[in-house]
Amino acid sequence: MTYYDFHTHRRETAGDVAAIVNVKAGEAWTDLRRVSVGVHPWNVTAQWREQVEQVSSVARRPEVACIGECGLDRLRGGAWEWQRPCFEAQLALAREVGKPVVVHCVRAIDEVVAMRKKFGDVAMVLHGFRGKPQQAAQLLGQGFWLSFGPLFNAESLRMAFEAGRMCLETDDSGLSIREVYERASSALSISPTDIPVPGTFWR
């Protein structure tokens, strides 16, 4: 079987793994088949417009599966007055090029939900989701996809699985995507082979 790693910082993967590798705006990635490119909130500066332009310059390339990771982080990163317009600009870019967005969100879920309402036609995937079922239900009801790494709430995982909007990822965990599949399939009481391909992101 093929293992689908929606979001990873690892450039080298096994032959049975299809991965979307996260790269920073302006970073070289000619050796990679499938990437996400964006301005992470930790890296946003006062020159955020120029940073977004770096993303825009490559966004239409076929190797770019997603825009991001981008988003909002109240605990770390660039000034809030830079983060918000930088995130919104990347959502507008994703709408323009018709690609999903990998969303990083820390202590800013209300703002991200508001952005979702404004950009309802953009597929938004909250990566590294560890929230409780109540929050998962709210986000799934708003049309979000949820991507789960090695640590997750089992009921939230099941809700996303049943909604058909679940992805699995390794992020920067150091674990293999096979191990994440094993943990997820155990929580769902299914075989790893029964975990569906998140088709929207593997065209």
Side-chain angles (χ1 to χ4, degrees), residues 138-172:
Q138 175 197 8
L139 295 169
L140 291 166
Q142 295 280 353
F144 285 93
W145 283 68
L146 303 179
S147 185
F148 300 85
L151 301 176
F152 53 80
N153 180 289
E155 184 56 30
S156 295
L157 177 81
R158 179 170 295 281
M159 292 171 71
F161 171 74
E162 292 177 350
R165 277 184 267 127
M166 180 192 80
C167 297
L168 298 177
E169 63 176 70
T170 57
D171 195 14
D172 58 359

Side-chain angles (χ1 to χ4, degrees), residues 84-95:
R84 284 180 58 89
C86 185
F87 181 38
E88 185 164 357
Q90 290 177 91
L91 289 172
L93 174 62
R95 169 185 279 169

Side-chain angles (χ1 to χ4, degrees), residues 54-77:
Q54 287 183 312
V55 180
S56 179
S57 68
V58 298
R60 290 176 174 79
R61 290 178 59 172
E63 302 96 324
V64 178
C66 304
I67 304 301
E69 81 188 84
C70 56
L72 300 172
D73 192 322
R74 286 192 177 275
L75 299 184
R76 180 178 173 185

Side-chain angles (χ1 to χ4, degrees), residues 86-179:
C86 185
F87 181 38
E88 185 164 357
Q90 290 177 91
L91 289 172
L93 174 62
R95 169 185 279 169
E96 182 182 335
V97 300
K99 294 185 178 180
V101 177
V102 185
V103 179
H104 171 102
C105 177
V106 176
R107 303 283 178 88
I109 194 63
D110 290 343
E111 291 86 351
V112 169
V113 167
M115 290 286 192
R116 171 68 191 163
K117 291 177 180 177
K118 185 172 182 178
F119 293 91
D121 53 341
V122 176
M124 298 173 65
V125 188
L126 281 168
H127 100 88
F129 187 76
R130 301 184 189 180
K132 296 181 179 180
Q134 183 177 4
Q135 186 180 53
Q138 175 197 8
L139 295 169
L140 291 166
Q142 295 280 353
F144 285 93
W145 283 68
L146 303 179
S147 185
F148 300 85
L151 301 176
F152 53 80
N153 180 289
E155 184 56 30
S156 295
L157 177 81
R158 179 170 295 281
M159 292 171 71
F161 171 74
E162 292 177 350
R165 277 184 267 127
M166 180 192 80
C167 297
L168 298 177
E169 63 176 70
T170 57
D171 195 14
D172 58 359
S173 66
L175 295 181
S176 72
I177 191 63
R178 295 180 196 82
E179 291 173 281

Side-chain angles (χ1 to χ4, degrees), residues 1-37:
M1 65 174 286
T2 299
Y3 298 88
Y4 294 88
D5 191 344
F6 172 71
H7 177 75
T8 185
H9 293 260
R10 185 182 304 153
R11 287 197 170 220
E12 294 184 3
T13 56
D16 58 353
V17 175
I20 298 177
V21 180
N22 184 79
V23 297
K24 298 177 183 178
E27 185 177 6
W29 44 271
T30 55
D31 57 324
L32 301 172
R33 291 185 56 198
R34 188 177 286 109
V35 300
S36 62
V37 182

